[in-house]
Amino acid sequence: MERQGVLKMTILKEIAESIEASTGVDGSFSTSMERVFLLRSSEPTGPIYTVYEPSICFVAQGRKLVESGCYRLIYGAGAALAVASPLPVTGQVIEASRNAPFLGVRIELDLDLLRGFHSLTPRKARRNHAASGLTTFRPSQRLENTIHRLLRLLDNPEEMKVLGPLAELEILYHMATNSSPALGQLAVPDTATARTAWAAHYLRVHWREAGALSTVSERLQMTERSLKTNFVALTGHEPAGYQKHLRLQEARRLLSLGAPLLAAAASTGFANARTFQAEYEATFHASPAVDAARLRQLFPAELEE
């Protein structure tokens, strides 16, 4: 056991060194692999509002707070966050310094490939109630080894083309079979988790539509009450609140690009400017004008994940 602990610490240190070598400055960085992103911050950050895609987020150094609706999770070095559905979240680096910056890697998951492992998903997975779509876990040594191999491939584009997809498949295998109940259930089409995740995806795409919830309920042949219960379990939000957060996120993006307040409000379904301002301030803790000015000043330097 002691030897295993030493090996895990060594791998964690090497993952941190790989991220530091590939970044060197603060920010959120895309890589040569489409679904792999590196994160670095040399100081604690304020709240950062974004939408997570289904993914795992592994911390090699530092600590982070993530909130989505009723969920509030803190995770640090050696731990990971599993995200099973598109989620409007608030993220905040809470432990970082110049000598020990926050270092993390986010790997978005190909859900079509994940579903290929449905026959391997543990039978004990719950089918009648959605699992939490935002959880933390301690990766196994084998999963950490795979993440490490994937990061090392980023320096070798030729090897990445061949070995990168294999490493991605290995990560999906671990997530479907061992690491995350929600992602395991997501691989099986008839689970409540998979059906509710489809509902979340539909609402994200059709967030402008007032009757989207009824449409989802009819298509899934699920009562609105049952859908709401499962939706809160998966996302931390009621469906209406989920849609509202997506609308506000889009309004914030438009304002940061210079759109007038009334135009941003109308474009995202807020007919009343006073209501829009009140909802905006309650969510982002600043007026639209002040927040947009701050975003324009920070962009693109602000860490987005």
Side-chain angles (χ1 to χ4, degrees), residues 37-140:
F37 303 85
L38 304 180
L39 314 168
R40 184 187 192 277
S41 180
S42 59
E43 60 184 9
T45 68
I48 299 165
Y49 305 92
T50 188
V51 178
Y52 278 174
E53 298 297 335
S55 56
I56 62 169
C57 308
F58 179 76
V59 173
Q61 188 167 272
R63 280 200 309 159
K64 190 171 185 181
L65 164 67
V66 174
E67 297 177 285
S68 180
C70 63
Y71 291 125
R72 185 179 191 274
L73 302 172
I74 294 175
Y75 64 114
L81 183 77
V83 184
S85 169
L87 291 178
V89 302
T90 305
Q92 187 171 354
V93 172
I94 59 174
E95 184 179 297
S97 67
R98 290 186 179 276
N99 292 331
F102 174 88
L103 299 169
V105 55
R106 178 169 58 86
I107 303 169
E108 293 186 353
L109 305 177
D110 186 323
L111 298 186
D112 289 332
L113 292 177
L114 180 72
R115 295 183 187 105
F117 294 106
H118 68 87
S119 63
L120 303 177
T121 299
R123 294 295 179 184
K124 64 182 180 181
R126 293 178 297 163
R127 293 175 176 267
N128 297 323
H129 305 284
S132 170
L134 193 69
T135 57
T136 58
F137 68 99
R138 284 277 173 179
S140 65

Side-chain angles (χ1 to χ4, degrees), residues 224-236:
E224 288 195 15
R225 180 178 178 181
S226 177
L227 178 58
K228 286 180 180 179
T229 299
N230 283 302
F231 205 92
V232 171
L234 182 71
T235 69

